[in-house]
Amino acid sequence: MIRCMAIDDEPLALQQITTYISKVPFLELVAQCQSAVEARQFLEQDTVDAIFCDINMPDLNGMDFVKSLTVAPLIVFTTAYAEYAVEGFKVNAVDYLLKPFGLQDFQRAANRLKERMEGGTNGLQGSSGSMGSSSLRGASGSTDDVLFLKTDYRIVKVSVPEIRYIEGMSEYLKVWVEGEAKPVVTLLSMKKIEERLPDNFMRIHRSYIVNLNKIQEVNKNRVIMDADVSLPIGDMYKETFQSYLDSKFLGK
């Protein structure tokens, strides 16, 4: 069982979190607090494995509370303010739930807690105010290797090198990531995400951006990503894509 604490200064929000905790078999609620000060007093006497913590609270906000812990449990932040997301991941939060969120979103966060527990890693490491190893870092250790995308009621971190391709759907994007069965769906324009991607990503169609490192084959006017995914090359993008192929082509 994962011993949990819930912290929220809004009684209804606190009740919702405690109800959700009771619905997850591997979570055990051991404390519910309406302030970070109250939570700190509890932790002076007892320990927990994980904390579901609101951020925007009076006296001591959740972010400062977590940073003040010498050795923090696993943290899931819950808040109505999306602008806290990046700061939340800086302190190695397991997840970030954007209010209002439902049981399905909560369950995903709980599953991440379980995976982190089974992996043998905890939350913050080191002295007061230390950020430990930052979750902002991607595969190569650079903060440029990650994107934060809003999906449903959550802010999720996506590793840029692991993006296979991006599919545009009107005002939404589907971001297909290596090893994931379902895409990250986010309200964003192709132009906006294109501006944030490195040079190994190329627009090949008005509806598709591909990670050039993930292409397996080019067959006539289609890019083959794998046995199941074949993407069209749009007429207005053919010349640029062909130039890329020519620069990499070896043969007669």
Side-chain angles (χ1 to χ4, degrees), residues 29-228:
L29 180 67
V30 296
Q32 49 181 310
C33 305
Q34 287 190 255
S35 73
V37 174
E38 182 183 345
R40 178 181 283 168
Q41 291 171 349
F42 176 88
L43 291 176
E44 289 174 355
Q45 306 297 324
D46 206 343
T47 61
V48 296
D49 300 313
I51 299 176
F52 292 89
C53 185
D54 185 27
I55 294 179
N56 194 31
M57 295 185 290
D59 298 327
L60 178 63
N61 73 47
M63 192 71 67
D64 290 339
F65 163 68
V66 169
K67 289 179 180 179
S68 73
L69 298 174
T70 303
V71 179
L74 298 174
I75 303 295
V76 175
F77 284 117
T78 63
T79 183
Y81 300 92
E83 59 267 26
Y84 287 116
V86 173
E87 191 176 357
F89 282 110
K90 281 182 180 178
V91 296
N92 209 18
V94 174
D95 210 341
Y96 182 102
L97 291 170
L98 192 62
K99 297 177 181 178
F101 54 86
L103 179 58
Q104 186 176 7
D105 298 304
F106 183 87
Q107 180 71 63
R108 280 197 293 263
N111 289 339
R112 286 189 170 91
L113 281 176
K114 186 178 180 183
E115 290 170 4
R116 188 76 70 88
M117 285 287 292
E118 291 173 347
T121 57
N122 63 356
L124 282 168
Q125 306 276 340
S127 62
S128 174
S130 171
M131 290 186 181
S133 60
S134 172
S135 286
L136 279 170
R137 295 190 179 275
S140 69
S142 166
T143 55
D144 291 333
D145 286 339
V146 299
L147 295 174
F148 289 94
L149 301 175
K150 182 178 178 181
T151 177
D152 296 324
Y153 299 116
R154 303 167 56 245
I155 304 288
V156 298
K157 184 182 73 172
V158 175
S159 172
V160 173
E162 293 177 5
I163 296 175
R164 299 178 63 228
Y165 65 97
I166 297 165
E167 180 180 357
M169 307 183 307
S170 185
E171 297 178 343
Y172 288 84
L173 298 179
K174 286 183 178 180
V175 181
W176 294 88
V177 179
E178 195 78 47
E180 299 292 337
K182 294 182 179 180
V184 176
V185 180
T186 185
L187 179 62
L188 199 63
S189 70
M190 292 285 274
K191 184 177 185 296
K192 190 72 174 178
I193 200 167
E194 199 172 9
E195 292 171 352
R196 295 294 304 277
L197 294 171
D199 292 342
N200 59 295
F201 284 82
M202 182 179 290
R203 186 91 169 259
I204 62 165
H205 187 276
R206 62 184 178 85
S207 298
Y208 294 103
I209 297 172
V210 298
N211 184 341
L212 298 170
N213 296 333
K214 302 293 184 181
I215 295 175
Q216 291 190 1
E217 183 181 333
V218 179
N219 191 339
K220 296 182 179 178
N221 291 325
R222 302 193 74 83
V223 169
I224 313 301
M225 305 302 291
D226 58 39
D228 299 317

